[in-house]
Amino acid sequence: MTDLLSLFKTMVRIRAFEDAAEAASQGGVSWGGAATGKPGEVRVKGPLHLSTGQEAVAAGVCAHLTPEDLLTSTHRGHGHTLAKGADATKMMCELFGRATGYNSGKGGSMHIADFSVGMLGANGVVTAGLPIAVGAAHALKIRKTGAIAVSFFGDGAINRGPFLEALNWARVFSLPVLFVCEDNQISATTRSAPMTAGGNAASARAESLDIEATRVDGNDVQAVSEAAERLIGQIRAGSGPRLLHAITYRQKGHVSVDPATYRNPQEVALALRGDPILRTRELLTQQGLGEQAARIEAHARAEIDAAVAAASAAPEPQAAAAYTDILTTGEGMWK
């Protein structure tokens, strides 16, 4: 079983990153938060989808992965990327559109990848990560590496075709892949439940394809960790695909500049009382580890502050960089 302090460290690093990124995307002020950074200076380039409130899922699952295991994420992928071992400074540089970012400042928040730690990438297309993970899992099985693939996706993804296609392929070929549904109960700006037929749909649809599904409180990092450890162990032992359905809550709007006024304030207030970091901090305090937890949080904030400073000082990409990583400019093709 993974040490609770270790899980807490991963969660608070994600939260610190998201808070700093949110403030940088809004000129130094985050919704409901105090001013941080230089007021009026919007430093994040492009859209920013925050995973604030969902940290326990990323931490609990990725605690049981190795660098050889492969992972696909979503447009809300900062937490998964950090938990898989990516560098926070290079991530922040990418958000700031700097040449020292993961994609040389040209990809932005939704396209961060780091193959060296098994992170195949975030993805701006809903559900697109699932078939990529299944393809990766098929390759891992053929190569007999012993590694597995993991695909995170949201509850809105289960109503799209690639969800069925990916799960069906994974089951037919008994592939080593864990599907993780981060059920934050809202698809962009619309509640998911009225748009989704059937109860407990993510798990039920997986089970209809003979894929074992486990439902868990996604704000309880220990519960997520224990469930992930069991399912990943089964997959490594040759069981084929499994699905983890984690019920969590997206504390922020769809994008960082969305105040989410379409949500009931009472619902939000109730959900915030179940904040996974708050719950874990209280548990650690009860165990006499409150001071250690406080030091971990302070260290996380200092680390991310340093990442923001480095990103702010990093150079912009040169204009010529627009043509790198392109096989052809298409010159002469349209005449």
Side-chain angles (χ1 to χ4, degrees):
M1 180 177 175
T2 303
D3 177 66
L4 186 58
L5 279 172
S6 178
L7 294 169
F8 184 71
K9 178 181 179 180
T10 301
M11 289 197 294
V12 297
R13 288 184 72 240
I14 296 170
R15 179 67 60 89
F17 186 95
E18 297 291 54
D19 285 349
E22 180 184 19
S25 75
Q26 298 177 18
V29 180
S30 60
W31 290 108
T36 58
K38 185 177 179 181
E41 183 184 2
V42 176
R43 289 171 286 176
V44 170
K45 311 295 185 183
L48 186 69
H49 302 79
L50 301 166
S51 63
T52 310
Q54 302 177 192
E55 296 88 353
V57 185
V61 172
C62 291
H64 303 286
L65 302 180
T66 71
E68 289 71 36
D69 294 324
L70 305 178
L71 184 150
T72 65
S73 182
T74 70
H75 56 282
R76 205 174 303 283
H78 302 156
H80 313 138
T81 308
L82 283 167
K84 193 63 172 70
D87 182 85
T89 298
K90 290 184 69 175
M91 287 178 61
M92 194 66 73
C93 286
E94 187 61 35
L95 266 58
F96 280 39
R98 306 298 185 175
T100 50
Y102 267 108
N103 301 96
S104 302
K106 299 188 293 181
S109 169
M110 292 188 286
H111 300 96
I112 296 175
D114 185 347
F115 286 16
S116 71
V117 297
M119 176 58 183
L120 299 184
N123 203 304
V125 179
V126 174
T127 327
L130 278 82
I132 294 173
V134 166
H138 209 143
L140 292 173
K141 181 173 182 177
I142 291 171
R143 295 169 63 187
K144 299 179 180 179
T145 66
I148 72 167
V150 176
S151 183
F152 288 94
F153 58 96
D155 41 301
I158 68 173
N159 291 327
R160 291 181 56 83
F163 172 78
L164 173 62
E165 295 168 357
L167 268 66
N168 182 69
W169 190 274
R171 179 66 275 172
V172 167
F173 291 97
S174 191
L175 300 180
V177 56
L178 175 66
F179 299 104
V180 183
C181 179
E182 277 184 310
D183 189 347
N184 61 29
Q185 306 169 58
I186 192 166
S187 304
T189 60
T190 306
R191 298 286 300 182
S192 298
M195 302 188 296
T196 305
N200 196 21
S203 297
R205 294 176 186 181
E207 290 168 348
S208 74
L209 296 172
D210 192 32
I211 295 176
E212 180 182 318
T214 298
R215 187 179 172 97
V216 69
D217 179 356
N219 288 345
D220 182 340
V221 71
Q222 285 185 306
V224 175
S225 176
E226 290 170 6
E229 182 177 32
R230 177 176 61 83
L231 296 176
I232 289 170
Q234 292 174 355
I235 295 168
R236 293 196 196 281
S239 71
R242 292 288 187 267
L243 184 140
L244 179 63
H245 185 181
I247 310 301
T248 183
Y249 192 81
R250 194 188 78 203
Q251 294 183 5
K252 304 291 183 174
H254 179 56
V255 292
S256 63
V257 293
D258 169 19
T261 55
Y262 43 82
R263 294 195 300 201
N264 186 320
Q266 294 177 328
E267 168 197 307
V268 177
L270 179 63
L272 289 178
R273 291 203 290 269
D275 181 297
I277 291 178
L278 174 63
R279 289 171 61 173
T280 308
R281 185 191 300 122
E282 290 176 346
L283 182 58
L284 288 168
T285 300
Q286 292 170 9
Q287 296 176 356
L289 299 172
E291 290 186 7
Q292 288 179 260
R295 286 195 295 271
I296 288 172
E297 290 192 84
H299 186 274
R301 288 192 293 271
E303 176 195 3
I304 301 305
D305 284 346
V308 170
S312 297
E316 300 268 358
Q318 295 293 316
Y323 295 97
T324 61
D325 307 312
I326 297 175
L327 295 180
T328 175
T329 61
E331 184 178 0
M333 292 178 62
W334 313 114
K335 294 181 181 179

